[in-house]
Amino acid sequence: METELTSPRREAFTGTAGLLTAVVGALAGIAVWLPYGRRGLFGAFEGETNPEVLLLGLPVLVAGGTLATLAAFAAVRGRWRTALGLAAAVAGLAALGYGFDVLAAPQAAQDCGSPC
């Protein structure tokens, strides 16, 4: 006999909520990336661009936003080990992002000091 907690309808609702949470996280990652991406791809002096903003920055921020919202979703559902694992993945992505400076502006758009 099925209980209310294990019914297929409840599982479908939980899965749908998880999917919507992941989509919202991905959209939040894109929203965070957009100002940096625009400046890195189009805002440089004399047409200089930084393609790493698109190739590294966008995937890192989309994955980070998705993982962060899924970690919060798992924590709300009481799945602490899953939430901690996802939070560790977010920390790893943040370290990767800082290490590779995925949101770096093109060289000409950065402050070059007093001679400029």
Side-chain angles (χ1 to χ4, degrees), residues 1 3-4 7 10 14 18 21 33-35 40 49 57-58 65 67 79 82 90 92-93 102-103 110 116:
M1 198 160 129
T3 64
E4 185 181 338
S7 71
R10 176 128 177 133
T14 304
T21 301
W33 174 82
L34 196 58
T49 62
L58 183 60
L67 289 173
R79 301 202 173 182
T82 303
V90 170
L93 276 174
V102 297
L103 297 178
Q110 294 176 353
C116 294

Side-chain angles (χ1 to χ4, degrees), residues 8 23 39 44 47 53-55 60 63 67 74 82 86 88 92-93:
V23 169
R39 185 180 68 207
V53 171
L54 179 65
L55 300 174
V60 166
L67 289 173
T82 303
L86 290 168
L93 276 174

Side-chain angles (χ1 to χ4, degrees), residues 20-32 57-72 89-90 93:
L20 291 175
T21 301
V23 169
V24 166
L27 291 175
I30 291 171
V32 169
L58 183 60
V60 166
L61 286 173
V62 168
T66 303
L67 289 173
T69 56
L70 286 176
V90 170
L93 276 174

